[in-house]
Amino acid sequence: NSKVIQTPRYLVKGQGQKAKMRCIPEKGHPVVFWYQQNKNNEFKFLINFQNQEVLQQIDMTEKRFSAECPSNSPCSLEIQSSEAGDSALYLCASSLTGLGDAEQFFGPGTRLTVL
Amino acid sequence: AQKVTQTQTSISVMEKTTVTMDCVYETQDSSYFLFWYKQTASGEIVFLIRQDSYKKENATVGHYSLNFQKPKSSIGLIITATQIEDSAVYFCAMREDSAGNKLTFGIGTRVLVRP
């Protein structure tokens, strides 16, 4: 079973509303990733952190997406103004290192539906 | 162009038989890592097995094994002695040094194991 905790499991928002989801990585894993999986099973990498620092992120156009991994608090991903196209499964993953051979372990995801 | 391609949309097999699924990838890196994950009906994504590009031996973990054909940029997954609970969507993913820590996924192959 996944040791990465994501809350909430389901999130329903209206267009224009904020949507915030949280992730607690597996204990001892300092590297955290966010991916978006759409209904066609396409994965899109969003951002990743090592401890509190951003390592890599996509060009989050319109700046609607923001993410952080504060010390001693869950990581979070927030969509400032949800759009219908944001409806997807948002997956958090963690790994022991940032090295290429380190497996990423996934949480159960937050399924966002934007009405 | 897709960097990780899984051409088989779905495969159906009888329990206790062997299933093979294909994945081809595209990279300019000399060092890269290839992963297989499965996503169960509940949405949980589970890491299965990894192949490092510099290793000639095919990786094997339990009843999962890989058919790594580097000249063809191919990494097939083989599941022997399939069980009903192997029914899932299987994703091939690649991690390139030049692309940082993120995984690039294929769109998955749905496997149904029939009793």
Side-chain angles (χ1 to χ4, degrees):
Chain A
N1 286 337
S2 173
K3 295 175 184 171
V4 176
I5 299 170
Q6 287 189 251
T7 56
R9 292 293 306 274
Y10 301 91
L11 196 53
V12 180
K13 294 292 179 181
Q15 294 199 47
Q17 290 186 319
K18 283 187 185 180
K20 188 168 185 175
M21 53 205 86
R22 292 175 176 82
C23 170
I24 299 174
E26 189 167 329
K27 190 174 182 180
H29 284 193
V31 185
V32 174
F33 303 80
W34 287 98
Y35 294 90
Q36 177 196 65
Q37 184 186 23
N38 68 19
K39 60 181 172 65
N40 296 320
N41 276 344
E42 294 165 326
F43 285 77
K44 181 179 181 180
F45 166 79
L46 297 176
I47 192 168
N48 75 314
F49 294 84
Q50 179 148 0
N51 298 312
Q52 294 80 53
E53 292 191 22
V54 175
L55 292 179
Q56 194 179 10
Q57 63 181 327
I58 63 165
D59 178 22
M60 293 182 177
T61 55
E62 302 173 34
K63 306 295 184 187
R64 294 188 303 110
F65 287 73
S66 63
E68 61 177 1
C69 271
S71 177
N72 298 319
S73 293
C75 297
S76 64
L77 176 69
E78 186 170 54
I79 305 173
Q80 297 300 319
S81 178
S82 302
E83 298 177 355
D86 297 330
S87 295
L89 182 67
Y90 288 84
L91 293 156
C92 177
S94 70
S95 68
L96 190 57
T97 75
L99 298 177
D101 61 349
E103 294 90 4
Q104 295 180 24
F105 296 93
F106 285 80
T110 293
R111 186 166 296 284
L112 172 65
T113 301
V114 182
L115 302 174
Chain B
Q2 286 187 333
K3 299 197 81 171
V4 179
T5 303
Q6 296 178 254
T7 55
Q8 299 155 297
T9 305
S10 64
I11 302 173
S12 180
V13 297
M14 296 295 293
E15 191 179 12
K16 300 178 186 175
T17 63
T18 295
V19 62
T20 300
M21 59 199 92
D22 303 327
C23 174
V24 293
Y25 56 90
E26 183 184 322
T27 181
Q28 301 297 323
D29 287 16
S30 58
S31 175
Y32 50 92
F33 303 88
L34 301 162
F35 302 82
W36 280 91
Y37 288 84
K38 78 173 191 181
Q39 187 170 33
T40 64
S42 67
E44 182 185 11
I45 297 177
V46 180
F47 164 73
L48 299 177
I49 191 168
R50 183 187 94 228
Q51 180 76 42
D52 301 343
S53 63
Y54 57 86
K55 291 187 177 177
K56 294 184 179 178
E57 306 79 27
N58 289 320
T60 298
V61 176
H63 73 146
Y64 302 106
S65 60
L66 298 177
N67 179 16
F68 181 40
Q69 299 184 56
K70 195 170 182 179
K72 295 183 179 180
S73 296
S74 170
I75 183 74
L77 174 67
I78 303 163
I79 309 175
T80 57
T82 52
Q83 302 165 10
I84 301 296
E85 51 267 32
D86 291 322
S87 296
V89 180
Y90 289 80
F91 291 94
C92 176
M94 175 174 66
R95 198 166 180 178
E96 304 164 277
D97 284 347
S98 64
N101 297 303
K102 67 176 184 179
L103 289 171
T104 301
F105 287 85
I107 61 170
T109 296
R110 182 175 298 278
V111 172
L112 175 64
V113 180
R114 307 188 313 274

